Amino acid sequence: MYNLLPFRFERLKDKEILVNEVGDFLIVPTTTVKRIVDKEIKKDEELYKDLTTWYFICEKSIPELIDLLAARLRTKKAFLNNFTALHIFVLTLRCNQNCIYCQATSRECRESAYDMTQEVMVTAIDLMFKSPSPSLTMEFQGGEPSLMPRLLLFAIETAEQKNEEHLKQITYVLCTNSINLTDEILNICIQYRVLISTSLDGFEALHNHNRGKSDSYSHVVNGINKARTVLGFDRISALMTASEESLKYPKEIINSYLENGFHSIFLRALNPYGLATKYSDWSEYYDQFIDFYREALDHIIDLNKSGIFFVEEFSALILRKILTPFSIGFVDLQSPSGIINSVIVYNYDGYVYASDESRMLAEHGDYTFRLGHVSDHYDSLFYGEKAQKIGLIWANETIAGCSDCAFVTYCGADPVRNYSTQGDMYGFRPTSSFCKKHKQIIQHLFSLIIERKDEVLPIFKRWINSSAG
Ligand code: SF4
């Protein structure tokens, strides 16, 4: 007779997906869960061996296995080991574009009241160095941070100088729309090996539509090509955001990325912040996004089958969680949540927020996730009352709906999203758009693994190996 170890399950197609406490899965025929729980699995069945090997059942007493499972769990949660690694600096709210879904509540180019001062920057950098993480990422955002070349240089030089004492590994990332990649900006990028993360929403007409400018695409593509020539081809990556208009063009968007020399795309849904709240009918948007995502993924799989290596990055992140024992650094798919644990935001005005989305709420007058000011003590910001309050509900494993969901190990927690869409940080999974999107994407990936295993698994494995997570 065997003992049961903790696992969860989901019925999909004519199968049951069993997932154990550390994310190992088995795909079995329906009614298997009942047989396992009724202890009807016979020792000579192949399934018995699988269930034992993957910690779904055990013959020995449970305590002997606890240490092994604990080691696996520590590996899965390794992103927590070093605390906050990603530090976002909002250099300015000013912007030179007019995106229809703007989440950052950008301001006109001339409004210098929305720029970060050098004093705020220095204090924020001091806070960053208090993080125990040996690796730090300094990410410069806006508005449009390339409008602030002097502050950008000042920030990096200050960090470099302070790092002579701290000896951390620092990565610099400039999040820019690439419209204003001047020689001054690119020289800073060359000197300090700054990575560029830009946004490209697809082909020319669509990109221009989403930017609210008729000439944005040509400027962005020129900017990308200039940056590639000066910095190196792989120093610039792009993100797309799917507006309602974008959802009509899954294949065309992928093709435009290929035409522009990219070998991957991150299919990113709109988040209900900033201007995006005004422009979208959310109840329909997420259903349509899932259809868009499925069609785009099918097209990407076809491209890979034809010999063109091309990765969908969001799928690759989830697949890394499904198919490997390792953790990933992507803050939206972490539990405990990525906010504070992995990311912190220093706003242009010196206030510190739990995440990028938190400061966007603040721009609309809601300061729920404002942790304090850069002049406050590190402990009161990172371990203070607000952080502790959020910490009570930031792990999927402890909240209703998620705690018994088969996909809990593959998913993430987002109290900010719960708050902004459902009115409280705890959230309610049956009506959560975040849950709906994640569950349907994970289900779709499993459906592909069930129905087209031989065709898709080799492609998925190549994606995982190509990305660091
Ligand atoms: S958010 Fe939804 S899909 Fe994710 S773990 Fe919770 S219930 Fe599961």
Side-chain angles (χ1 to χ4, degrees):
M1 186 61 80
Y2 54 82
N3 300 301
L4 293 176
L5 289 168
F7 70 89
R8 302 170 180 87
F9 70 100
E10 166 92 5
R11 293 207 172 92
L12 191 66
K13 311 284 171 187
D14 57 347
K15 302 286 183 193
E16 285 170 349
I17 302 165
L18 319 184
V19 187
N20 72 11
E21 205 61 6
V22 292
D24 302 322
F25 69 93
L26 287 174
I27 297 170
V28 293
T30 44
T31 72
T32 304
V33 170
K34 185 170 184 324
R35 288 185 60 226
I36 295 171
V37 173
D38 290 344
K39 306 211 171 161
E40 288 174 1
I41 311 296
K42 300 277 175 306
K43 222 171 174 169
D44 56 0
E45 287 181 58
E46 194 60 28
L47 177 64
Y48 190 98
K49 225 190 304 167
D50 289 342
L51 291 169
T52 316
T53 307
W54 297 107
Y55 303 109
F56 288 89
I57 61 173
C58 65
E59 289 174 352
K60 296 179 185 168
S61 66
I62 290 171
E64 279 183 47
L65 286 168
I66 290 290
D67 286 348
L68 274 174
L69 270 174
R72 296 281 316 277
L73 191 59
R74 275 200 297 279
T75 307
K76 271 281 177 206
K77 302 287 183 187
F79 63 89
L80 288 171
N81 288 354
N82 296 316
F83 207 40
T84 328
L86 174 59
H87 296 254
I88 295 175
F89 296 76
V90 180
L91 301 193
T92 180
L93 278 196
R94 290 186 292 131
C95 190
N96 48 12
Q97 295 288 278
N98 196 20
C99 300
I100 57 169
Y101 50 68
C102 181
Q103 297 168 2
T105 320
S106 60
R107 309 287 170 172
E108 287 295 320
C109 275
R110 290 181 299 280
E111 295 181 72
S112 61
Y114 297 102
D115 297 345
M116 185 182 271
T117 63
Q118 289 193 351
E119 291 71 28
V120 166
M121 178 59 79
V122 171
T123 322
I125 290 172
D126 283 337
L127 280 171
M128 176 180 79
F129 277 111
K130 291 207 167 75
S131 167
S133 178
S135 313
L136 300 171
T137 297
M138 255 184 117
E139 185 171 294
F140 303 105
Q141 285 198 13
E144 174 49 44
S146 66
L147 297 175
M148 301 286 288
R150 265 177 277 166
L151 186 65
L152 175 68
L153 181 61
F154 176 78
I156 296 176
E157 285 180 341
T158 306
E160 290 284 304
Q161 188 213 327
K162 288 180 187 286
N163 200 34
E164 285 173 15
E165 178 194 338
H166 297 281
L167 302 176
K168 305 219 182 218
Q169 188 192 331
I170 307 181
T171 304
Y172 301 106
V173 180
L174 177 65
C175 296
T176 171
N177 58 30
S178 298
I179 300 285
N180 189 48
L181 288 179
T182 59
D183 292 345
E184 187 180 9
I185 290 283
L186 289 176
N187 284 336
I188 299 170
C189 295
I190 295 170
Q191 191 176 354
Y192 295 103
R193 294 193 53 73
V194 179
L195 293 165
I196 291 185
S197 170
T198 195
S199 48
L200 179 68
D201 280 357
F203 53 92
E204 184 162 10
L206 177 65
H207 182 90
N208 288 343
H209 168 86
N210 287 356
R211 291 289 166 281
K213 300 258 184 189
S214 59
D215 58 353
S216 179
Y217 179 86
S218 55
H219 287 301
V220 171
V221 169
N222 287 342
I224 290 171
N225 290 332
K226 186 176 172 186
R228 280 174 171 161
T229 308
V230 175
L231 304 175
F233 205 86
D234 294 333
R235 305 297 293 171
I236 181 156
S237 62
L239 267 178
M240 65 81 66
T241 304
S243 68
E244 283 167 306
E245 183 68 11
S246 308
L247 300 180
K248 300 176 192 161
Y249 304 105
K251 288 186 186 169
E252 292 83 351
I253 292 171
I254 310 296
N255 293 344
S256 76
Y257 263 61
L258 269 175
E259 279 158 24
N260 281 298
F262 290 103
H263 291 287
S264 69
I265 192 167
F266 194 121
L267 297 174
R268 193 168 66 148
L270 284 175
N271 283 333
Y273 310 110
L275 280 184
T277 46
K278 253 197 260 177
Y279 281 89
S280 291
D281 175 347
W282 295 107
S283 56
E284 277 180 30
Y285 175 81
Y286 282 101
D287 285 337
Q288 289 170 2
F289 177 81
I290 296 297
D291 290 342
F292 161 85
Y293 174 88
R294 287 194 188 116
E295 214 177 308
L297 198 61
D298 265 353
H299 183 51
I300 292 171
I301 289 168
D302 285 345
L303 287 173
N304 280 274
K305 279 169 59 188
S306 74
I308 298 169
F309 180 73
F310 195 90
V311 182
E312 199 291 294
E313 297 285 359
F314 189 62
S315 305
L317 287 164
I318 294 176
L319 288 165
R320 189 173 157 86
K321 295 190 94 178
I322 294 176
L323 298 172
T324 81
F326 305 113
S327 77
I328 60 168
F330 183 62
V331 296
D332 290 3
L333 289 173
Q334 289 179 349
S335 169
S337 174
I339 61 174
I340 306 175
N341 289 307
S342 297
V343 61
I344 201 81
V345 177
Y346 309 102
N347 207 10
Y348 71 97
D349 54 6
Y351 286 102
V352 181
Y353 291 94
S355 67
D356 210 23
E357 292 75 20
S358 310
R359 62 121 177 166
M360 291 164 192
L361 280 173
E363 292 300 334
H364 292 269
D366 187 331
Y367 305 106
T368 306
F369 296 95
R370 179 185 273 182
L371 302 175
H373 192 266
V374 287
S375 56
D376 295 338
H377 194 275
Y378 177 86
D379 287 357
S380 78
L381 293 167
F382 288 77
Y383 308 120
E385 229 172 87
K386 278 211 175 167
Q388 288 178 35
K389 191 174 165 207
I390 302 167
L392 291 174
I393 42 85
W394 69 11
N396 296 52
E397 290 84 348
T398 66
I399 57 177
C402 296
S403 61
D404 55 3
C405 171
F407 304 139
V408 68
T409 3
Y410 313 136
C411 199
D414 193 344
V416 183
R417 169 71 78 89
N418 293 342
Y419 175 83
S420 70
T421 57
Q422 300 191 300
D424 74 281
M425 289 187 225
Y426 193 95
F428 181 59
R429 258 47 66 193
T431 55
S432 155
S433 57
F434 175 91
C435 173
K436 183 177 186 174
K437 187 189 87 174
H438 283 202
K439 188 167 270 188
Q440 291 196 12
I441 288 178
I442 296 169
Q443 280 174 338
H444 184 61
L445 292 171
F446 269 112
S447 297
L448 289 171
I449 291 171
I450 291 170
E451 290 173 343
R452 296 164 62 186
K453 184 177 174 192
D454 294 342
E455 195 186 334
V456 299
L457 257 192
I459 295 170
F460 289 170
K461 286 183 178 163
R462 279 203 298 277
W463 291 2
I464 292 168
N465 293 334
S466 77
S467 77

